[in-house]
Amino acid sequence: MLASEMANLDKMDRTWLCSVLFMDIAQYSSQSVELQMKWKQRFNRYLAKAIQDVPGTERVILDTGDGAAICFLGAPEAAMFAALQLCRAFVLDEQEQQPGLRVRLGINLGSVKLIKDINGALNAIRDGINAGQRIMSFASANQILVSQSFFEVLSRLSDDYKRLFQLKGVETDKQVREYTVYHLVPPGAEKREPVITNSERQTPPPSQLATGAGAGKNQSAPRNRSMFRVAGGVALVALAAAGAWRFHESAIPATPALSPAPLGACRDEKLTRIC
């Protein structure tokens, strides 16, 4: 028996907790066969270059027709580096080619069981890869989204890694299953504004719903009422002081002046290469 076959048997005898990178070429099925072939050839070339440093024993590649899924069986950051390099390649391809590649990317960390398909090649099943496909479906073209589980692991490995993630929000799939997803932003790229989901939006009180001139009046009314209260209090104090002057025929002691209060007195080598 060949060594490669032995390695495949070892992979099939266990359940793996691995990082799954799922990719899908946008608008692939609506293109001509000729363009599909060109896109897929460039896609495969970028993919091979992105994972060339990952040993063959630590990855399983699944061809999905309009994209691919990669199970990284080793270090989880390998999936992050590959996704960042691929996303950069897709962005450059879109700028240089007509029409260019636009690919959605999603990463999930979960359990995967490896089996052999009808052709004898390794295939992956279970929730780890299914959730990876769902995370990918929430992404826009040439955008990387990751699951909560993947973010929790990577953010604790390095502070440099943690800076690359930004919360997007909660997404819901067709089965009404909720996923907390994060943007994976390339080093040096502009940070995205966090997306506020419907459940996080709060209806403002009726006093803040007015617009135009009415809104300005409503906002200034509490401030004006506060000024009137202060002025009225000062006037009452002045009248009381004047009455005391006349009744006791003595001067009002001066209030001592208050003295002012004193015044108080990318490191990761791989991330640098991707930049």
Side-chain angles (χ1 to χ4, degrees), residues 6 18 21-22 37 50 76 83-84 105 121 131-132 163-164 183 187 190 222 226 242 250 253-255 266:
M6 289 292 296
C18 63
L21 170 59
F22 218 106
M37 293 178 60
L84 288 172
L105 302 94
R163 297 188 187 98
L164 302 179
H183 291 287
E190 182 180 358
S226 300
S250 60
T255 302
C266 283

Side-chain angles (χ1 to χ4, degrees), residues 64-186:
T64 61
D66 58 353
I70 310 172
C71 299
F72 292 87
L73 309 179
E77 56 264 41
M80 181 184 70
F81 291 131
L84 288 172
Q85 184 171 341
L86 282 166
C87 188
R88 183 168 181 263
F90 297 146
V91 170
L92 293 176
D93 186 279
E94 184 182 11
Q95 296 173 355
E96 298 171 356
Q97 303 287 340
Q98 287 296 332
L101 274 174
R102 294 172 59 82
V103 182
R104 299 179 296 171
L105 302 94
I107 309 178
N108 177 53
L109 180 67
S111 61
V112 167
K113 183 74 173 180
L114 299 178
I115 62 173
K116 282 193 174 183
D117 61 15
I118 193 171
N119 297 317
L122 285 179
N123 198 357
I125 59 174
R126 293 206 177 175
D127 186 67
I129 195 163
N130 294 334
Q133 185 177 17
R134 297 290 188 274
I135 297 297
M136 179 272 299
S137 67
F138 302 135
S140 301
N142 293 344
Q143 181 186 71
I144 311 171
L145 294 183
V146 307
S147 65
Q148 175 81 27
S149 58
F150 187 81
F151 164 77
E152 292 291 346
V153 172
L154 267 294
S155 63
R156 284 164 173 75
L157 293 179
S158 168
D159 291 336
D160 289 334
Y161 297 166
K162 187 175 183 179
R163 297 188 187 98
L164 302 179
F165 298 95
Q166 186 173 12
L167 177 65
K168 180 181 187 294
V170 178
E171 300 286 353
T172 306
D173 63 10
K174 296 180 180 179
Q175 286 74 37
V176 200
R177 177 179 174 181
E178 293 185 344
Y179 301 82
T180 302
V181 295
Y182 293 77
H183 291 287
L184 175 56
V185 184

Side-chain angles (χ1 to χ4, degrees), residues 209-226:
L209 294 178
T211 58
K217 293 180 180 179
N218 291 338
Q219 295 174 359
S220 60
R223 185 181 302 174
N224 293 337
R225 286 196 294 269
S226 300

Side-chain angles (χ1 to χ4, degrees), residues 226-240:
S226 300
M227 294 176 62
F228 290 146
R229 293 194 187 99
V230 172
V234 173
L236 291 176
V237 171
L239 290 174

